Structure formats: structure tokens, C-alpha cells
Amino acid sequence: MSDVAHDTPVSHHDEHESTGIDNRKLGMWVFLSSEFMFFGALIATYLLYSNRGGFEGTYPSEIYDIPFTSVSSFVLLMSSLTRVLAHNALSKGDQNGTRTWLFATAALGAVFLGGQVFEFTEFVTKYDMTLSSNPAASAFYLLTGFHGTHVAIGVIMLLSLWGISRRRGGLSEKQGMSLELVGLYWHFVDIIWIVIFTVVYLLSVPPA
Amino acid sequence: MTTEHDTHPSPAQYWKIAALLAVLTVFEVAMFYIDRELGLGGLNALILISLALLKFVIVVGWYMHLRFENAIPSRFFTAGAILAVGLYLVVLSAMGVVVIRG
Amino acid sequence: MTATAERPRTTIFKRPSSTTGWWSWLTTVDHKKIGIMYGYAAFFFFIIGGLEALMLRIQLASANAEFLTAGAYNAMFTMHATTMVFLFIMPASAAFMNYLIPLMIGARDVAFPRLNALSWWIFFFGGIFLYSTFIFGTSVPPIGPDGIAGNLAAGGGPGSFNWLADSPDGGWFGYQPNAGPFYSPGTAMDYWALGLQLIGLASLVSAVNFIVTVFNMRAKGMRLLRMPVFVWMGTVVAFLLLFSIPIIAVALFMVTFDRQFGTLFFAPVGGGDPILWQHLFWLFGHPEVYILILPAMGIVSEVLPVFSKKPLFGYSAVVFAGAAIAFLGFGVWAHHMFSSGITPVAQAAFGLATMTIAIPTGIKIFNWLGTMWGGRIRMTTPMLFAVGFIAMFTIGGLSGVTHAVVPSDWQQTDTYYIVAHLHYVLFGGSVFGLFAGLYYWYPKLTGKIMNERLGKINFWLMFIGFNTTFAPMHWLGLQGMVRRTWKYAPETGLEPWNVVVTIGAFIIATGVAVFMYNWYHSRRHGEDSGLDPWDARTIEWTIPNPTPEYNFAVSPVVSKLDHFWHLKYDQDDEGRAVRKEDADQIIAELQHVGLNPPEPIHLPTPSYFPLIMAAGLLLMFYGIIYHTTAWGKALIAIGAVVSLAAVIGWAIEPVEEPHDKPGEERSEKVQAGV
Ligand SMILES: [Cu+2]
């Protein structure tokens, strides 16, 4: 008991029954599985209220700017491409390429966010649709707001990795795993937007 | 990360997938305007939801590499997605009928 | 991989290294210490929730009593239920899961030790936040549209303790619009909604942690179907949390936005639909009842085989029944809404679905009975609680089926019959199960056995008190006594049974006091447990008591279900278990090896950041309540900065410090996990 120093790592793969997937990666998958329930509740709430008529105020589906949102959706979609290219560059040891694609991904995410800020501003100032206009407006802002928050967190994580890579001249193996985790998260945010774009923007009609 | 690249798509494939996603998105937006002119109703919804589902599956399968992943995460992930869709559909259908309108 | 594989740098701060004293608890990432903190916090809230229940019972002991004001009564039943569900049973289950799951699967810690500490601190601060409503919260009487100001519910009226009324009073289910900004102005319900948000976040984080732990950290040979049933039930609970917490999170966000930022989700005046709240709440709320009961079922499934000297009857049936209960549990939520105007089709469907849950539940009960059948039963205190669990839970389960029948449910809704039912499953079930676990695993914490005589007194007081309290509630409810109402008229004839119920509540309290004394007393004066006090079956008993800091001196290799049992026992020709001749020698050897690790053991290093991050969140949540004021905004900003700093520090520091650094004496002072 006197000489318990530190040599054997806590989790050594050959000592354990395991899925063979890195703990952090499995954890991310598990967490993302639960996020479906989170966004599902928000989307369901929007669907419940989006065409329930008889109340005051502007409904979001009356004022959607479909061309604008199509472009920003496309921007977010393409950020998934740049993210996998970053991953691919790192797996080939191309640290410069990784950095470039990382930055591109964060930049596309930021463009998407900028679009959302612009959209919200337009809705509030031009069409006077606020959180309190009607339940449909409340649901729209809460849903897209929470999605935007997710994107913002993703952008911050991507920029952190980019910064680390710039300062240290590359990403270590452990940071490579971080890149994978951020990637999973990023793609998940993207697929949620794929659903939102269709269900909330393209298919939603104002109450008759 | 050592054994992975053999199974993962190549950059060329990534670009092709992106092109496919772009085309699908163009289709979606086109459907929106076509429906405006023709009033397809339910058919439009069916097509748009199918397109979204397709994009969803492509991103999850290829970009998130779920297709190449061990079965465990894909089971959890699918379970979450199906549970969410199923439960909230039941809620919506229950509420759609009960709701006292206007 | 050509990237630079550099060693993680040491952080800006020196890492905490103490193993004893306050700092060791504040910075620990040890699953055992975290489990113990969960346990003590849960028990503390159990006492508080119990005192709240006694207040309610004193008020109801006589007709037209004026012990509490109406407002204080509302606050007491709201806080009693909220406390018992979220601040007692859930963290008590988390305590067992934290302490035991790594030990039972043969691991040295959970998959993410620092996240585990984060869960604990968020939970603990969530509890403090919720309870600080008694200091900071306000509950202003609403002014109704008809001009009737200040109804009784918000204070006033005869009775005392009205100061208690300045706390959440919308029920643990927080039905809308009653708990919304219009009918519950003041900040008390904000404390409730945001407090539950924090507690839910803690549960979600630990759910992810436990799922990864169970899937990735099992000892060699510990296949999924060799895991103890408690681990299985913990895993099922983790999945229930994983998929149900996000629902309540969204619902609570909507409440907070309605109350703080003027959204209209649940306000009928603005077009909101209160039924949406009911759906979302019960979508979470029904899985929640299995979150409360399954850990206790797991505990009982560990205790019964040991004290029957038989393997669990139908191990895989018990495991699959647990999973089936969880799965079905997601599809029955609307049985809480039979009187909310859902359609006949929905009523029939949800009624039938609810009844099907009786099938896996029945399977479990028969398996437990089958385990005892023909066994050599030792009626120790843990066994008494486990058997009490089966009997009481069965009664509660049966009364539950009666309100799956829709017309019957209409009769019972909001009466004391429901109160009786839920206490039979949650007290007679969960709490008895947890007490069985406390007595059974006490030696793992302390190396002592709890006093048996006090234990039996404890059990019988609680058992008799429990039935005196809750059995009469069945008839009170069927006679029409309604829940959540602070007074009844003498003419109703409800008083005699209410007197009995209140007496029962005080008997339970006496039983709990005996337990506390026993817990404290046995620490010093209890009999030494040795390694294997109960002739146990599972591998958490193959290591010394109290558990060494490193858990397993040598990572175990598991070859069978009930691995430890098979180390000690052989089968004779008729299939009976025969203790091996060298069993005692094997145990002595385990004790020796367990205290003398042959190789150096590397453990995760303690960290300040989980605590700091949770503290930042706490500040932000206070800020949200007062966000209209300047200092509220300041609190949000400070909290955000603190949390962000913690995230950065967390990301920079490695899970384990490299070995050649100073300050590494930590594990040399190997010490017990208490
Ligand atoms: Cu239920």
C-alpha cells in the first residue's frame, strides 16, 4: 500500500469489455440521441401553434423570406462538407489543410448565424412579430433560437480548435478526437436544421 | 483513427455527396414554388418530407460516418430519432383533435 | 497519425491534491465520494420533505383545522412532492448508482470522472437554489379578471405559518396556467422551474456518463448478461433519463419564457394551450416514476438472492422485464390526463397500454417470490426491507391497475386514493428498497455492520407506520376526500381516519429517527464486517471493506454471473450449493490482495473545475430570475464568465496529471471512501 504510484492507466482497452469506441465519442453519440427529444418537443410545439388561428399578431409563416432562408440553409449544409474535409485533412496529417477547413466551417456557421440575426431583426422591426405576438411566434423564436444557440456553441468550439492548431502548429491525436466530437455535434445541428427548414419554413402555412 | 480511413469516404466522395445535397436542396426550394402555383397539398408535403429525410440520412450516414460505425451508437441514435418522431406525433394527433379552435 | 502527440500541459493552477478534509470533498472526482455526497444530500432533503409532510398531516388531523394557512398548505404539498421526487429519491438512487456501478462492473471509476463531479455539484446547487425560494421567493396573490384580489391560495385566511406561503405552490406537476405568470405572480414558481431545470441537467449529464461507463468500462469477462441486476436497472434508468429529461427541459424553458420573457406557450388568454404542458410534463413524468422505482427494484434483486442463498430466479427475465417496463413506460403518459378531455380513443388506448405494464411488473414480482421459494432465508434487516418492498409494491401496483380503468380513474382522480397508490409504490416501493440497500451496503462504506436489533425496530416502525398512514387513504379517497385541499368540514365524517393517518406519519418519523441513530451508532460501535459479511454473490464484495480508494487492487476477470458466489461454492450431484473447503482461505486472500496492490495504480486527479462550473451556472440562474434589474444582468454576466473560465480550465487540464510531476503523493495515502 505504501508504494501506489501511477503507471497503469485507469482504462486500458485490453483489460475491459468495451464497445471499442472511444469513451468521449460514445458519450457524444449518446448525448446527441437525447437531443432529438429536445428539438422534437420544440418542433412539435411550433407545429401545434403554427396554424392555429384566431389570435392577434403576425404569424411567422406569413413573413418567411424563403429565398433568403434557402441560401442560409445551403450555407449551413455546406459547412458539413468543410467539416469532413477538415477531418480528412487531419487524418492525412495535413495540419495546414485541417486549419483552413476548420476556419471555413466556423465561418460558414457564423454566416448562418448572421443570417439568423438579420432575419430576427427584420421580423421584429419590419413586421412587428415579437415573442409575445402569439404562441406561433413564441414557438418559432424559441425553436430557431435554441438551434442558433447550438450553432453558436459549435462555432466557438471550432474556433477554439482552430486557435489551438494555429498556436501549436497542429492538432495532437487527442485534439483530433475533439475535432471528431465537434464534428458529430456540428453535423447533428445541421440535420436538425434540415428538418426545421422543411417542416417549419417550407411546409408551414398561416392559419386560414 | 488509424484504421478508419480505409472505410471512410474519400474527399472526392465528400464533394460528390455535397453536390447531391445541394441538388436535393434546390429540389426542395423548387417544390415550394411549384406547390404555390399548383397547390399540390398532401403530395407536396410527402415529397418535401421525403427529400428532407433523404438529406438527413445522407448527412448522418456519410458525414457523421454512422454507416461505418459500430452498431451500438447507431442503435442509440436511431432509437432517439424514432422515439422523438413517434411520441411527438402521438401528442400532436391527440391535441389536433381535442383542441377547441379559435 | 503524424500530428504532434504532445503531452497535455499542466494547468495555470496547481491541481488540488488533498485526499482528506474539506478540499478533498469539494474537488473529488472519485465516484465513491460523489456517491456518498449524493447520499447525504438526499437524506437531508428526505428529512426536510418529511417535516413538510408532518406539517400537512398536523393540518389535516382535525376538521377545519387552522394550523396552516391555505397558502402555506399549498406551498407545503408542492415542496413535499418536489423534494421527495427530485431531491430525495432521484439523488438517493444516484448515490447507489455512483457508488456501486463501477464496483459491480469491476471498474476503477466512471467513464468521465470530472463530469460525474459536475453532475453532483449541479444537482446540489439546484437543490440549494430551489430551497432558497424560502428566503428570496415571493408568491403574490393574483388579481383575478373578476376583480377578486388575493385568493386564499396565496396567503391570508386563518391559520399560521403564513411565511411559508412565499414559496412554490403550484404542485410538483406545475399545471398551467395555474403556475404561469398570471395566476402565480411573484418569483416562487420561477425558483421551482429553474431549480428543476438545474436538477434535470445534472441527471442528463450523469445519464450519459453511466451509459458510457456500462458499455465501455466493464472488467474483463463482465459481459452484459453477467452484470448484476442493479447495474442493469441503473442502465435502464440512465436511458429513461436520457430520453425524458430533454422533454421536461423544453417544457420548463417554456414556463420560464412565459413567466420572464412574455411568450404565450401556456397562456389561454394569448392563445396558448395548457394541455400542451400536461402532455409534455407527463411524457417526462411517467418515465420518471420508473426512474424512481427501477433502482429500488435493482437493489431488491441483489438483496433477495443473497439472503435466500439462491441465485436470482430468472435473471434474464428480470433484466428484460426491467427494459420492457422502461420501453412501455414511454407510451402511457396520457393516463394522467383521463380527466383532461382527451378523446375516447386516446383514453382506451392509453388505458390498455397502461395495463400491459402490469405484465413485466408481474414477471418481476413472481421472479422475486421464486427466488425466495425453497431458499434458506435469513431475515436480516435488508431482507426485511426487501420483502416489505415486494408486499407493499404489489399493493401499490394493483391499485395502479385500478386507475388504468378509465371510468374508475374518473372517480379516483384528485382524491386520496391516488395519494395512497403513489405512496405505496414510492414509499412502500422505492424507499423500502433504498433502505434495504442502505443496510446491505453499509459495510462497503464503513467496514461495519449496522446494528440488527435497531434495524429491526427501524423496519417494523416504518412498516407499521407506513401502513397506518397510507392504507386508510384508500378509503378516505373512495369516500371522496380530495387532494391538495387544506381543509375538510366536520360533517364529512373524514376526521377519524385522518387522525389515524397522522398518527401513522409520526410512527414513520420515529422509525426514521431510529435509522439515523443506528447509522451514526454503528459507525463506532458496529460489528466489524470483514470482507464478506453477508455471504454475497457479486464482485463488489470481493474487495475489502471499507472500499479502498482504488477499488480493485487487481482488475477482476469475471467468468460467470454471480462470480463471487462461484468462487466460494461448488455444486454437489443434486445441484445443491456446497461451500468450498478453502472458501475462507479465498476470502482471506482477497482481503490481503485487495489491500496490497501489486502494481502502481493510476487514478484520475481531483479538479476544481466541476465545482466552479456549477457555481457559475448557479449565479446565472439567479440572474435569470432577476434579469430585469441591473444586478440580475450582472449576475448572468459574472456566472457566464465563471462557467466559461471553468470550461477553458477543464479543457486544458488532463484527466490524469502526468506522473513525473510533483504533488503526486495523492494515492499513496490510500484511504477509505467515507
Ligand atoms: Cu403514469
Side-chain angles (χ1 to χ4, degrees), chain C residues 46 52 54 65 166 179 184 197 232 258 264 289 292 318 395 409 470 492 528 580 585 619 638 647:
Chain C
F46 177 50
E52 286 159 353
L54 291 179
D166 263 344
S184 296
Q197 191 74 268
W232 265 108
D258 270 10
L264 300 166
V289 305
L292 300 173
V318 174
I395 296 174
D409 182 73
F470 297 109
T492 55
D528 274 338
K580 289 181 189 169
Q585 219 173 313
L619 292 180
I638 295 168
V647 171

Side-chain angles (χ1 to χ4, degrees), chain A residues 37-49 131 135 138-140 142-143 146, chain B residues 88, chain C residues 176 179-181 190 193-194 197 246-267 273 276-278 280-281:
Chain A
M37 300 304 291
F38 187 87
F39 281 106
L42 291 166
I43 293 172
T45 305
Y46 176 80
L47 291 178
L48 175 72
Y49 289 133
L131 276 173
S138 303
F140 169 79
L142 200 66
L143 165 62
F146 267 116
Chain B
Y88 295 123
Chain C
Q176 297 288 334
D190 294 303
L194 289 167
Q197 191 74 268
I247 311 172
I248 192 70
V250 169
L252 289 169
F253 273 129
M254 289 178 185
V255 170
T256 301
F257 270 79
D258 270 10
R259 299 182 57 91
Q260 299 279 347
F261 304 104
T263 54
L264 300 166
F265 290 108
F266 304 123
D273 193 335
L276 175 65
W277 165 265
Q278 294 192 17
L280 294 178
F281 183 80

Side-chain angles (χ1 to χ4, degrees), chain C residues 381-393:
Chain C
T381 309
M383 186 64 171
L384 279 173
F385 273 106
V387 175
F389 168 96
I390 301 176
M392 297 304 99
F393 180 77

